Amino acid sequence: MDNISNLNAAIYRNAQIIINSKLIDLNIKSGQHDFFHVISKNQGISQKELSEFLYVGKSTTAKAVKNLMKNNHRVYRLYLTEKGKEVLPII
């Protein structure tokens, strides 16, 4: 069982390295691309709904959304910006 766990962890780490290298020009980290993808498929989703969808805490969602946004004001419904729609095919 330890071998499977170690292999799974190694695959995950390597996948994160690959994702980060592909997204480096977009200033999006591997941990943020999941949020970006869910928002793109669920335009108007709330931060609470986003947290529930991804099974993460509200503070994790708030941090990820803040990093994806230029403005730091509170967001109730999330939509992709025009720039977000442009980079969507890359992500």
Side-chain angles (χ1 to χ4, degrees):
M1 190 66 156
D2 286 335
N3 290 337
I4 293 172
S5 296
N6 290 340
L7 182 60
N8 188 41
I11 291 169
Y12 176 80
R13 283 191 308 275
N14 284 314
Q16 296 307 303
I17 290 168
I18 293 167
I19 291 168
N20 280 331
S21 71
K22 299 287 185 184
L23 300 177
I24 196 163
D25 293 336
L26 303 176
N27 292 323
I28 295 175
K29 302 288 185 205
S30 61
Q32 298 167 344
H33 84 284
D34 291 336
F35 292 90
F36 187 93
H37 179 72
V38 172
I39 293 168
S40 74
K41 297 294 183 189
N42 301 278
Q43 296 280 327
I45 191 170
S46 70
Q47 288 190 38
K48 181 181 180 207
E49 292 165 334
L50 185 57
S51 296
E52 291 168 355
F53 190 92
L54 292 172
Y55 299 98
V56 297
K58 292 177 187 175
S59 61
T60 300
T61 299
K63 184 177 177 182
V65 168
K66 180 179 176 183
N67 288 331
L68 290 172
M69 293 176 54
K70 290 183 180 179
N71 299 323
N72 291 332
H73 57 83
R74 187 162 178 85
V75 175
Y76 294 100
R77 295 285 170 189
L78 306 171
Y79 298 89
L80 290 184
T81 62
E82 287 305 314
K83 182 177 180 181
K85 290 175 185 175
E86 289 173 15
V87 300
L88 180 59
I90 299 167
I91 295 176

